Amino acid sequence: MSISRRNLLAAGSGLALTGALTACGSNTGRGDGGSGGATGGSGGTGGGDLAQWYHQYGEPGTEQAVRRYAAAYKKTKVTVQWRPGNYDQQTAAALLTDGGPDVFEVNGPTLDQIRGGQVVDLTDLFAGVKDDFNPAVLAPKTYEGKIYSIPQVVDMQLLFYRKSMLKKVNLQPPRTLDELVNAAKELTEAGDRKTKGLFLGNDGGAGSLGGTPLYAAGLSLITEDGKVGFDDPSAARALGKLRQLYADKSLLLGAPTDWSDPSAFIQGLTAMQWSGLWALPAVQKALGDDFGVLPFPKEGGSGKPSVPVGAYGAAVSARSKQQAAAKEYIKWLWIEQEEFQTDFALSYGFHIPARVSLAQKASKLKDGAAADAVRFATDNGYAQPLLWTPAGQSAYQDALSRIIKDGANPDTELKTVVRKTNEELQRVKKKSS
């Protein structure tokens, strides 16, 4: 699989975007290969045409599809630019100039881009349809009640489990974190030396899980009123159980491919694996009905099942001299053209349409594990809050790694992260005043 859209899930996991999730194989969709279209068609010049930017996807057919969508729009000519290389950096720089795009794809926008007045308020485009968008992916695109991009598709992470392996040791699919710990241990002890109970990634889960265990404990990274959401004893308990998995030697480590690739699960190296929706077609092709999917299991009495979700969105540059035309175009494409939205989600990889009604109607998502995934994304999804800054992410990521791999004290580690996150929140609030 050569799927790049999963990179956006770094936001959902509470990790830094760059390098947090990579596609299966070497092509992440952000490399310098592929066809062009990276030059020409500047935006914000008032020249009549609209310039639309996309990052370079690794999924075959995606570029041709978005060019076909643009060509179908008759009110204004839309020039699509396919941008190889570091797209996020390119876009950030272009938004400060008059030669950037009118319309652009964004994993965000970021808080700085919103506060800096670099993106246009799109709230009016959602009149009558806002409630039809997955609320988890819409939340980080919303600031002070205003929406700044239209979600295009939803991606998510999931826990895959092998039905036959669990049945062999009389285990039910784990619904709590304790059950997951116990199941991973029993499956490891019952299996041969080639099979482990659980695969969370070659680093033991520090790079793939992010804030997911916190949400499973009924907490959050940042609360709705802008405070640290994990300054609570249950956070340490949840992360301590990840360490237990590692200490029990229940985790597969050193697999030929990492967690985003389902090969270890398909090949029977592990009975359960944390991966993503993108892996479902390959798993289904290899294993038929001998698998199921779950959200990350809940922890404690106040916990709840949790799945990280994320979505690229379509935004309009505030530098564009054709803002009205740009808004009209993206409303046509990402709100009105349901056929294109479903095609973009499911014809070039495996994703969920951002509109709940479209996800429910899509034939590929109606049955089995796919239907379960849609339900989890709607009922249990969370995405990275806008106020979860890169510095806070880095502090948490380092602490999580030390807890899992080194057995560091979760309480001590989290106190440091809470302090750093509070500092970041104060810095952000001061900057906005």
Side-chain angles (χ1 to χ4, degrees), residues 155-217:
D155 274 311
M156 62 184 297
Q157 294 172 345
L158 290 163
L159 179 65
F160 289 77
Y161 65 92
R162 192 79 172 263
K163 292 179 180 178
S164 60
M165 290 186 178
L166 269 66
K167 184 177 180 180
K168 187 176 180 180
V169 292
N170 297 315
L171 287 173
Q172 295 297 315
R175 304 289 176 173
T176 68
L177 186 51
D178 284 333
E179 289 180 4
L180 179 66
V181 172
N182 293 334
K185 186 175 183 179
E186 287 193 41
L187 288 162
T188 299
E189 293 174 348
D192 56 33
R193 294 182 180 180
K194 294 181 180 180
T195 303
K196 288 286 189 177
L198 178 62
F199 185 38
L200 298 175
N202 284 325
D203 62 357
S208 63
L209 293 177
T212 303
L214 302 180
Y215 283 84

Side-chain angles (χ1 to χ4, degrees), residues 283-305:
V283 172
Q284 195 161 40
K285 181 178 179 180
L287 302 180
D289 294 330
D290 188 22
F291 81 98
V293 295
L294 292 170
F296 192 85
K298 68 177 183 177
E299 161 60 13
S302 60
K304 56 185 179 182

